[in-house]
Amino acid sequence: VPGCGVEVFALADAAGDHLGIHEAAVESGVPWRLVDQPALASLAETVHPQGLVAVCRFVDRPLADLLRRTPRLVVICADVRDPGNAGAVLRCADAAGADLVVFSGQSVDPYNGKAVRASAGSLFHVPLAVAVDTAESVAALRASGLSVLATTGSGEVDLDDALDAGLLAAPTAWVFGNEAHGLAPDIAALADSRVRIPIHGRAESLNLATAAAVCLYASARAQRRP
Amino acid sequence: VPGCGVEVFALADAAGDHLGIHEAAVESGVPWRLVDQPALASLAETVHPQGLVAVCRFVDRPLADLLRRTPRLVVICADVRDPGNAGAVLRCADAAGADLVVFSGQSVDPYNGKAVRASAGSLFHVPLAVAVDTAESVAALRASGLSVLATTGSGEVDLDDALDAGLLAAPTAWVFGNEAHGLAPDIAALADSRVRIPIHGRAESLNLATAAAVCLYASARAQRRP
């Protein structure tokens, strides 16, 4: 993780198992400290740690700074509570080429160990803002010229219609709400449009990460192949 | 769950909390037995059960029977091991309007409690075949006229190119492989094409359920709006 590594604690054979990490640590002058199994176990949160624990700096930046880079595809997680979901959305945002992820309102801390693991490294790839007010984030993104689309099962625009209408080719910020309660109506009302993902079968909804995947890949395609 | 409910064990106030389930049980003559909290806790697997436990029949059917219904959108989970992933893929397949889900090879049992919960009811919505050989499933689906697409990061066809070429408008069976090791090369070789989801950022891959969401929604759109 270039630039944010502080210190690595590793078993003796971990350097061989994780050549890329060892190389990156050496190159960037991050101390590589050997520890034994009980020491590693006391540092790691998982039952089966992967042989090393890296201590990293926080990577989030103020939203205003990140908006100066004129992002074109943004994710706002509003009150997303589950760390596994938070990490999965980060990974998916990274894969879809999102420029910015915002954890707003009462969202879980993306530095939660489970979120970090579920992000599979993407926590360190995508520019990140945390602990922002959701309404303020929406206002700031709209002021930066992005179209703000809120995802809700009761949205007035079907995602396929939005695609057919060319709505997704514009710079877009997607707002995803809480896993159990969805997006708060007052937040949904702030968006330019409220978009529903079509449900073709009998499921009531998609889970958060799969919903984000569908919306973000629709945007990625529309922005690249209008 | 019409047709497969056998018996419900419920707390006294559960009928009021789950009106739809109570009504369905009464209508279909499924016995509704009152139990106390300790009895429910001994039946349920979760720390916080939702007030009732329903005993259901298995819902899978032989693959040959299900193919007679001429499915147009099929999911094959080949060696998918994590029950949460299995359930999430079922939910996503249901939402995208898939006609059939096959758990083949060394895949986890979709009746695993965690898989059932992650499916959020979709286990009972989508026609299901289990415990089939993967190569035989692929052969049977191709013999039924479906185009078989294997998802792999090294696929020769980009998903967006497949969409642009009209490849996804045909009846399609998507094959998804193991979470950790991906799809076995001998299985990938059996498919009509190997498709890679474009990674626009720095993530190495998507997780299984989000990859399935992207592919299945791409197919659902292509089949409906060619």
Side-chain angles (χ1 to χ4, degrees):
Chain A
V1 184
C4 63
V6 173
E7 195 163 16
V8 174
F9 299 94
L11 299 180
D13 51 2
D17 295 342
H18 304 279
L19 284 173
I21 298 176
H22 185 249
E23 205 171 283
V26 171
E27 271 177 22
S28 44
V30 172
W32 188 276
R33 306 193 194 287
L34 295 185
V35 293
D36 59 12
Q37 191 81 55
L40 185 77
S42 76
L43 288 168
E45 292 174 1
T46 53
V47 180
H48 301 289
Q50 305 290 306
L52 61 83
V53 167
V55 178
C56 298
R57 290 185 190 87
F58 292 135
V59 292
D60 62 282
R61 302 272 311 273
L63 180 59
D65 290 1
L66 295 172
L67 287 178
R68 277 190 216 110
R69 305 183 190 176
T70 60
R72 286 179 49 79
L73 184 55
V74 176
V75 177
I76 302 179
C77 290
D79 303 337
V80 168
R81 299 299 301 158
D82 179 78
N85 283 339
V89 171
L90 270 167
R91 181 174 175 184
C92 177
D94 181 12
D99 303 301
L100 170 57
V101 175
V102 181
F103 283 90
S104 71
Q106 301 300 311
S107 286
V108 66
D109 182 352
Y111 301 114
N112 171 301
K114 207 181 156 195
V116 173
R117 291 192 296 281
S119 87
S122 293
L123 173 69
F124 301 102
H125 298 159
V126 190
L128 179 71
V130 299
V132 227
D133 178 79
T134 302
E136 281 173 26
S137 306
V138 168
L141 284 157
R142 190 184 286 116
S144 295
L146 285 95
S147 165
V148 176
L149 302 182
T151 50
T152 147
S154 59
E156 74 271 10
V157 185
D158 176 280
L159 179 65
D160 283 320
D161 292 335
L163 278 165
D164 288 342
L167 209 67
L168 301 193
T172 299
W174 284 99
V175 191
F176 300 103
N178 177 270
E179 300 89 339
H181 310 295
L183 203 55
D186 58 323
I187 299 298
L190 296 175
D192 292 296
S193 301
R194 283 138 298 278
V195 177
R196 64 175 190 279
I197 299 174
I199 301 290
H200 302 296
R202 291 196 286 147
E204 277 183 34
S205 63
L206 287 166
N207 76 29
L208 180 69
T210 53
V214 170
C215 294
L216 295 174
Y217 267 86
S219 280
R221 177 170 162 81
Q223 291 186 348
R224 283 169 177 79
R225 307 193 183 195
Chain B
V1 183
C4 65
V6 173
E7 196 165 15
V8 174
F9 299 95
L11 299 180
D13 52 0
D17 294 343
H18 303 280
L19 284 173
I21 298 177
H22 185 250
E23 205 171 284
V26 170
E27 270 175 22
S28 45
V30 173
W32 188 276
R33 307 192 194 287
L34 295 185
V35 293
D36 59 11
Q37 191 82 56
L40 186 78
S42 76
L43 288 169
E45 291 174 2
T46 53
V47 181
H48 301 289
Q50 305 289 307
L52 61 82
V53 167
V55 179
C56 298
R57 291 185 190 86
F58 292 136
V59 292
D60 61 281
R61 302 273 310 276
L63 180 58
D65 290 1
L66 295 171
L67 286 178
R68 276 189 216 110
R69 305 183 190 177
T70 60
R72 285 180 48 80
L73 184 55
V74 175
V75 178
I76 302 180
C77 290
D79 303 336
V80 167
R81 298 299 301 157
D82 179 77
N85 282 340
V89 171
L90 270 168
R91 180 174 175 183
C92 177
D94 181 12
D99 304 299
L100 169 58
V101 175
V102 180
F103 283 90
S104 72
Q106 300 300 311
S107 287
V108 65
D109 182 352
Y111 301 114
N112 172 301
K114 208 180 157 195
V116 173
R117 290 192 297 280
S119 87
S122 293
L123 173 68
F124 301 102
H125 297 161
V126 191
L128 179 71
V130 299
V132 228
D133 179 79
T134 301
E136 281 173 26
S137 307
V138 168
L141 284 157
R142 193 189 280 117
S144 296
L146 285 94
S147 165
V148 177
L149 302 182
T151 50
T152 147
S154 60
E156 74 270 12
V157 184
D158 176 280
L159 179 65
D160 283 320
D161 292 335
L163 278 165
D164 288 343
L167 210 66
L168 301 193
T172 299
W174 284 100
V175 191
F176 300 103
N178 178 268
E179 300 87 340
H181 309 295
L183 202 55
D186 58 324
I187 299 296
L190 297 176
D192 292 296
S193 302
R194 284 136 298 278
V195 176
R196 63 176 192 278
I197 299 174
I199 301 290
H200 302 297
R202 291 196 285 148
E204 277 183 34
S205 62
L206 287 166
N207 75 29
L208 179 69
T210 53
V214 169
C215 295
L216 294 175
Y217 267 87
S219 280
R221 177 171 163 79
Q223 291 187 346
R224 283 170 177 79
R225 309 194 182 196

